[in-house]
Amino acid sequence: MKKFLALLLTLALLAGLTACKDTEAASTAQEQHTVTAPTNDATFVYQPDDPAATLPGGESVVLVTGPGGTESGEDAMLWQGIQTFANTYGYTADAQTAAGNTADEAEAALRAAAESGAKLVVCRGDTMGAALYRMQENYPDVHYLLFDSEPHSDDYSAYNTASLVHCVLFQEEQAGYLAGYAAVTDGYTTLGFIGAREGTGHCAVLHRLSAGRGGRCRAAGRVCHSADLVHRYL
């Protein structure tokens, strides 16, 4: 589901960023919309709100990834979404791969994408967020779409999102709480958590995992000790 949401939000936000039509004043009456979500990502075809609207086209949309490229994982789904959008509306889809996993290498790839003439640069994750924090205002004609992070300093002590940067965030803490609650419901009170790195997203999952576990313990009249929750980072 997370991959499908990433693809869906990519297409929807790409259309919003590049469309050149005026928006009408919002109605005061609240409207109801029924949405049917496909169960197979491969069958999804993007349908714009106004099929008669013609987007300008001719611009370049660039996905910047880590050294793993677009072969697998979330970046592969983002790349699929960008290609679908570009093929539908006459844009050029391109990809830049960072040389390594550091913020410096991510910044170099982001700068290369911006300087290639891209109208929109798409990226994902905390490393890209740290890199974007440094250079997001250096290219005033380039828009950025950042998934699963926000522009932040290397030590996460400062956050700043420029007007041309648009962030798509996932609520990992909800999944963490439900996982902790469900585990205790099934009779488990000793839990383990392994995160890729000690970042804000993983810390949120761990915190809510503990909260969900504690909430279910209290509801069941049990005593859960903090020593029964073990966590490690790769």
Side-chain angles (χ1 to χ4, degrees):
M1 179 57 72
K2 183 174 178 180
K3 289 183 178 180
F4 168 72
L5 287 175
L7 171 60
L8 180 61
L9 287 168
T10 300
L11 293 170
L13 288 170
L14 284 172
L17 289 171
T18 51
C20 291
K21 68 174 184 178
D22 296 330
T23 56
E24 298 177 354
S27 172
T28 55
Q30 195 172 23
E31 297 181 0
Q32 267 192 336
H33 299 280
T34 301
V35 178
T36 302
T39 57
N40 184 355
D41 291 346
T43 65
F44 172 72
V45 177
Y46 172 68
Q47 297 293 340
D49 292 335
D50 182 3
T54 302
L55 298 182
E59 301 286 356
S60 177
V61 179
V62 179
L63 172 65
V64 179
T65 74
T70 60
E71 296 303 315
S72 62
E74 291 91 337
D75 286 333
M77 293 302 299
L78 288 175
W79 180 233
Q80 178 183 336
I82 290 170
Q83 287 181 308
T84 301
F85 174 84
N87 291 337
T88 302
Y89 294 109
Y91 287 79
T92 300
D94 199 1
Q96 288 275 354
T97 302
N101 292 310
T102 69
D104 289 341
E105 290 163 321
E107 181 182 353
L110 287 169
R111 290 189 181 278
E115 292 170 7
S116 71
K119 184 68 174 179
L120 175 68
V121 175
V122 183
C123 54
R124 179 190 64 82
D126 286 336
T127 301
M128 292 293 173
L132 199 55
Y133 178 83
R134 308 173 184 177
M135 44 78 65
Q136 59 187 330
E137 297 180 345
N138 293 162
Y139 303 92
D141 295 326
V142 180
H143 289 261
Y144 299 92
L145 184 58
L146 174 61
F147 280 83
D148 217 8
S149 188
E150 298 174 273
H152 59 269
S153 60
D154 290 344
D155 61 359
Y156 296 91
S157 63
Y159 286 78
N160 178 47
T161 301
S163 60
L164 294 179
V165 177
H166 307 267
C167 300
V168 180
L169 301 175
F170 303 100
Q171 292 183 303
E172 298 98 336
E173 64 275 11
Q174 290 186 354
Y177 187 93
L178 291 173
Y181 197 97
V184 176
T185 299
D186 285 343
Y188 301 98
T189 56
T190 300
L191 306 180
F193 173 80
I194 298 178
R197 60 190 174 279
E198 192 171 358
T200 53
H202 295 93
C203 288
V205 174
L206 177 60
H207 174 73
R208 297 306 292 168
L209 178 70
S210 177
R213 171 177 165 274
R216 185 64 181 96
C217 283
R218 288 190 296 273
R222 300 180 185 176
V223 177
C224 294
H225 301 285
S226 60
D228 294 335
L229 178 59
V230 180
H231 66 280
R232 297 287 186 273
Y233 294 101
L234 300 178

